[in-house]
């Protein structure tokens, strides 16, 4: 028996290893294509990076000064040449300089990415918690008042954008009740501390979690209804087990596999929601850099932030597939 378990563990490990290697091989060309696409789209933008670089000084700058700066920034060269210069720098560890923020791109990402990751992870954790509790209770009480309430709320929230939820939550919990701060990472003049960050994180994370919950909770409910009708659940009930044990120990584990897969598919929506929530709450993440880089046609910063978002989507999909294999080794790791 022990040898059989060891062989099964080895098989699962090999399947996961092959999956990871395939996904890594797939991720490299995807990231290159995405970066090239960012440069091509930015070059077609009606915005001129020189306008953002000079600001109001552009009205007093001479044509010679504008041409000199354009040449120094490499904006007078073809877009493919600019892309190759940036890409070759990335390969050597040089991410370039952000023209709009006047900082190295590596510094911008290093300072802002942890706050974005904190908000996204907290929001996702809340969405998963809400979905598992709400979906399980709704399926358990199918047709009852709680089921109808949860289902109606899920369908209603599907069409509400995250920024609308954010504005409503600010109006109610910050301006109306005064329970939570409106925006920022800390109160004015306060140092960054666990208490300050937790207090300012609560509302944006809650908004992000609620905005991601509708699809998850409806999916959990549907999966639970299917699980509750399966033979092994019927057999557990026939053996006289308590209904709570039947639901939580027999039906819920079966419903988790498709739920984990759905979480991986929802990562792009999570990234988009995070950007919108960050902007509304002035959270010091990458969202502000995205907006600034896009309006200023800041090639190095825009490309790197886009690559970070793409990598997050690819990593989320990979982790979801790995979790699915661990939950059910019969799942084929088809990559």
């Amino acid at each position: 028996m022990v040898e059989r378990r060891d062989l099964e563990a080895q098989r699962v490990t090999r399947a996961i290893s092959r999956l990871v290697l395939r996904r890594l091989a797939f991720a490299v060309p995807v990231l290159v294509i995405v970066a090239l696409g960012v440069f091509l789209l930015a070059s077609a933008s009606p915005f001129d990076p020189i306008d953002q670089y000079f600001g109001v000084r552009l009205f007093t700058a001479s044509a010679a000064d504008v041409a000199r700066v354009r040449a120094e920034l490499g904006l007078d060269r073809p877009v493919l040449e600019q892309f190759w210069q940036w890409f070759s720098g990335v390969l050597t560890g040089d991410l370039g300089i952000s023209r709009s923020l006047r900082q190295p791109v590596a510094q911008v990402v290093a300072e802002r990415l942890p706050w974005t990751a904190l908000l996204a992870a907290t929001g996702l954790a809340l969405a998963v918690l809400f979905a598992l509790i709400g979906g399980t209770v709704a399926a358990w009480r199918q047709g009852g008042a709680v089921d109808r309430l949860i289902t109606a709320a899920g369908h209603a929230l599907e069409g509400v954008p995250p920024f609308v939820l954010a504005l409503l939550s600010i109006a109610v919990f910050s301006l109306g009740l005064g329970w939570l701060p409106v925006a920022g990472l800390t109160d004015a003049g306060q140092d960054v501390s666990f208490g300050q960050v937790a207090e300012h994180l609560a509302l944006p994370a809650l908004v992000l979690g609620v905005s991601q919950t509708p699809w998850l909770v409806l999916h959990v409910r549907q999966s639970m209804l299917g699980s509750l009708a399966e033979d092994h659940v019927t057999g557990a009930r026939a053996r006289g087990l308590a209904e709570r044990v039947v639901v939580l120990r027999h039906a819920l584990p079966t419903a988790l596999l498709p739920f984990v897969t759905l979480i991986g598919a929802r990562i792009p929506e999570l990234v988009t929601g995070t950007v919108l929530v960050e902007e509304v709450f002035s959270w010091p993440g990458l969202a502000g850099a995205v907006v600034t880089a896009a309006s200023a046609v800041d090639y190095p910063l825009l490309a790197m932030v886009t690559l970070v978002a793409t990598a997050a989507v690819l990593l989320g999909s990979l982790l979801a597939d790995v979790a699915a294999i661990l939950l059910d080794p019969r799942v084929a790791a088809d990559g």
Side-chain angles (χ1 to χ4, degrees), residues 131-132 134-140 142 147 151 214-233 237 246-248 250-263:
L132 288 177
T136 301
V137 172
W140 191 358
Q142 182 185 10
D147 179 27
T151 303
W215 296 270
L216 299 179
V217 72
L218 294 174
H219 189 276
V220 170
R221 176 185 179 276
Q222 193 61 37
S223 296
M224 280 294 296
L225 289 177
S227 298
L228 289 170
E230 291 187 1
D231 293 340
H232 71 282
V233 176
R237 283 187 173 130
V246 172
V247 171
L248 298 181
H250 292 75
L252 182 58
T254 306
L256 285 180
L257 182 59
F259 177 67
V260 168
T261 304
L262 178 64
I263 292 176

Side-chain angles (χ1 to χ4, degrees), residues 16-293:
I16 293 176
S17 300
R18 289 194 298 269
L19 175 63
V20 171
L21 291 176
R22 281 199 298 270
R23 292 297 180 85
L24 289 177
F26 171 77
V28 173
V30 167
L31 293 175
V32 173
I33 292 173
V34 167
L36 177 59
V38 169
F39 271 77
L40 294 176
L41 289 174
S43 67
S45 169
F47 299 104
D48 189 345
I50 288 296
D51 295 342
Q52 176 72 22
Y53 187 85
F54 275 96
V56 295
R57 295 183 293 114
L58 182 65
F59 298 103
T60 58
S62 65
D65 288 337
V66 173
R68 175 181 56 80
V69 172
R70 190 181 295 275
E72 290 176 354
L73 296 177
L75 298 174
D76 58 337
R77 289 175 291 185
V79 63
L80 292 180
E81 185 177 339
Q82 295 182 53
F83 169 74
W84 176 250
Q85 182 182 15
W86 171 83
F87 183 69
S88 58
V90 170
L91 293 179
T92 60
D94 180 12
L95 305 184
I97 302 295
S98 168
R99 296 190 298 266
S100 55
L101 298 180
R102 312 294 176 91
Q103 289 180 289
V105 172
Q107 180 181 346
V108 174
V109 174
E111 290 176 351
R112 294 171 177 260
L113 181 58
W115 300 119
T116 294
L118 175 62
L119 174 59
T122 307
L124 180 60
L126 289 175
V128 170
L129 180 63
F130 295 156
L132 288 177
I133 295 176
T136 301
V137 172
W140 191 358
R141 305 300 184 189
Q142 182 185 10
V146 175
D147 179 27
R148 291 195 295 270
L149 177 62
I150 292 175
T151 303
H155 286 298
L157 289 173
E158 279 182 321
V160 181
F163 70 89
V164 174
L165 288 176
L167 294 175
L168 289 175
S169 67
I170 289 175
V172 174
F173 297 106
S174 297
L175 303 181
L177 300 174
W179 290 352
L180 294 169
V182 175
L185 185 64
T186 62
D187 294 335
Q190 296 294 319
D191 295 331
V192 177
S193 64
F194 177 82
Q196 282 286 311
V197 173
E199 184 180 9
H200 285 73
L201 174 65
L203 197 54
L206 180 62
V207 168
L208 183 60
V210 171
S211 71
Q212 300 302 311
T213 299
W215 296 270
L216 299 179
V217 72
L218 294 174
H219 189 276
V220 170
R221 176 185 179 276
Q222 193 61 37
S223 296
M224 280 294 296
L225 289 177
S227 298
L228 289 170
E230 291 187 1
D231 293 340
H232 71 282
V233 176
T234 303
R237 283 187 173 130
R239 293 197 300 272
L241 297 179
E243 187 66 15
R244 179 187 301 177
V245 175
V246 172
V247 171
L248 298 181
R249 295 188 181 181
H250 292 75
L252 182 58
T254 306
L256 285 180
L257 182 59
F259 177 67
V260 168
T261 304
L262 178 64
I263 292 176
R266 297 295 304 173
I267 294 297
E269 181 69 23
L270 176 68
V271 172
T272 303
T274 303
V275 171
L276 296 175
V277 171
E278 280 189 4
E279 274 297 283
V280 174
F281 286 98
S282 299
W283 186 256
L286 288 174
V290 171
V291 175
T292 301

